[in-house]
Structures are given as C-alpha cells and as structure tokens.
Amino acid sequence: MTGRVVLITGGNRGIGLATARRFAADGYRVAVTSRRGDPLDDTITVVKCDVTDTDSVDSAVSEIEEALGPVEILVSNAGITDDGLVLRMKDDSFTRVLDTNLTGGFRVARRVVRSMMRGRWGRIVFVSSVVGLGGQAGQANYAASKAGLIGLSRSLAKEFAGRNITVNVVAPGPIRTDMLAELTDDQRQAMLAVVPLGRLGEADEIAAAIHFLASDEAGYVTGSVLPVDGGLSMG
Amino acid sequence: MSDDNFARFTKCAVEVLSVEASAIVPEATFESLDADSLDLVELVMALEEEFDVTVEEEELDGVSTVKAAFELITSKL
Ligand SMILES: NC(=O)c1ccc[n+]([C@@H]2O[C@H](COP(=O)([O-])OP(=O)(O)OC[C@H]3O[C@@H](n4cnc5c(N)ncnc54)[C@H](OP(=O)(O)O)[C@@H]3O)[C@@H](O)[C@H]2O)c1
C-alpha cells in the first residue's frame, strides 16, 4: 500500500521542511509548497504557491492532485512575522500578517477539504504559536493571526466531524529556525529565561507532534491545541 | 424535465450522496436520501460544475426535494 498524500505549506525550510522529511521517512507521499518552488529531493514534490493568492492555492493543489492524488493530510504551516509596537504598526503590516497566516490557512483548507469529504477521511493541522495563546508585546499582528487559527480550526473540526476529518492546532514555542534568527541575542536570552525546559525547541520536535495528529491513531483527537513549547504556556 | 439533464443531475447525486441512481426520483427528499446540509452544499457544488451555473447561498433555502433542486439548476440554463 502506498502512503497517504500529505501537503505541507511553507515546507521548503524550518518546521515545514522538518515535517516533510518526517512524513517522507515514514512512507507518506509528500508535497510541499514554497513561494519559489525550487526542487528539494526526490522524496518530496515541490510546488510553487503563495497562500495569499486564491488562484495560486488552487493551481498548486491541482498540480499536487495530478502528481500524487487527492490531499488527505494538510499541514498549514506557512507563516510570517512583521514585528512592531502597536503604536507604530501600519494597517498594512497587520493585514499582511493576517492575510498570510490566517486567511492563507483558510484558503488552503477550503481547497483541500472537498476531496477529504469525498474520501471520508482527512487530517488538518494548523501551525499556530504559543504567542497566539499568551500574546506578545511587539507581535499584535502575529498573535492575532495565530489565535485566529484556533477559532478557525475548531470551527472546521465541528463542520467536518461528520466526514471523519479531524482538525487540530500545534502551538510551538521558540524553535530554532530562520524565523528565530531574526531575534537579537538579548531577545533570545530573555526568551530562554522563561522556558521551563531552558532551551530552544528543534523543528523535529514540532514535526513529531504534527505527525502524531495526522496519524490514524489520533483519530479521536479533534479541535485540540497542542503546545510544544518547553513548558512556556503550560496550556 | 429533460431526460438528458436529469441523467446528468442523477450522476452528480449518485457520486456525491453515494446512493443508487434509482433513489434519485423527483419526489425524493434529501432527508430521505440521508443527505445533511454539508451533503447538499457538496451536491450543489458538483451541479454547478456539471451544468456550468452558479447558485447563491440564499437560493438553497427551502430546497428539500430532488425536484426542487433539479428545477433550481435547470432554471439557470
Ligand atoms: N520558529 C519558531 O520559533 C516558531 C514558533 C511558533 C510558531 N512558528 C510557526 O511555524 C511556522 C513555520 O515557521 P518556521 O520557523 O519554520 O519559519 P520559516 O523558516 O521562516 O519558514 C516560513 C515558511 O513559510 C513560507 N511562507 C511565508 N509566506 C508565505 C506565503 N505568502 N505563501 C506561501 N508560503 C509562505 C515560507 O516560504 P518561502 O521560503 O517561500 O518564503 C517558508 O517556507 C510558521 O507558521 C510560524 O509562525 C514558528
């Protein structure tokens, strides 16, 4: 039997890439999107996609369906930050982050859920953030988008429960990726000081949680928010 | 009711609702076909594609039988 088809948005680096590799190693048929669409290796199909563009999402998913078959597992992972204090935050910064992180997740989920309904089986995992649970000064746009994913996820969980589609959220704490490389040393130290486990997380550790939620074994888990954050949120 | 259009309608309904073609008769209600609101939306999306028409959300109000759905779609052709 060939493995299930999994799509990971923003899967060319960081958490998305670690997740893609985890699924590929386990025999899943894996597709990832990136904005440039540069090839990775022959275990992972890469398609070009900008999640802020509905047509781009549509054609990327069509391309995957043609190459691998209908998407059975969606990992909605693409995300950006654009930090700044609210008093100086422009509308554009707020809406751009929302459009990518939250509306982007909605667009991709809406596109893939139809075939999941038809197959009477599906898994959707949204990658949120610990910041969506606790808020963060300087990240109002990002926190709003990540909190929004929880409401989106739980609504989808209820809407599609009758079709055997589960929808869950993973909320990572600080993970060693490009996203964190943007922090100053001081910011990083301050962050570590509040993580009970006293270290940054690895992308693989998020991949493991996503992999579990996407498995057959997790069939009774839906609408949940799973923090993987070294104890930061104690959620 | 054009036979050809009804055949196309039936094909969509059979696919989406996983029922026998013989169950798709004008007087059948979606309830009797075990179709919930999500099934109905899915069916309408399939019909939109098949007949190249668009159906607004509000137009679905009160559409509870095969006949009503078929007439809604074919009125747009
Ligand atoms: N790192 C952390 O500490 C941390 C903590 C909590 C949550 N998260 C979340 O985890 C997810 C992955 O983060 P990461 O750390 O792996 O980030 P990353 O290394 O910066 O990767 C971000 C990914 O998102 C993609 N992306 C960004 N904008 C996009 C758009 N408009 N359309 C399509 N793809 C887009 C990027 O694709 P391109 O290569 O094409 O730009 C890239 O693949 C994000 O949702 C992030 O918010 C990260």
Side-chain angles (χ1 to χ4, degrees), chain B residues 12-32:
Chain B
C12 291
V14 165
E15 256 170 44
V16 175
L17 308 178
S18 315
V19 293
E20 298 291 330
S22 58
I24 307 301
V25 292
E27 59 279 11
T29 63
F30 289 110
E31 206 184 338
S32 73

Side-chain angles (χ1 to χ4, degrees), chain A residues 40-52:
Chain A
L40 284 165
D41 62 44
D42 53 10
T43 64
I44 298 172
T45 302
V46 185
V47 297
K48 211 171 133 128
C49 176
D50 185 334
V51 298
T52 63

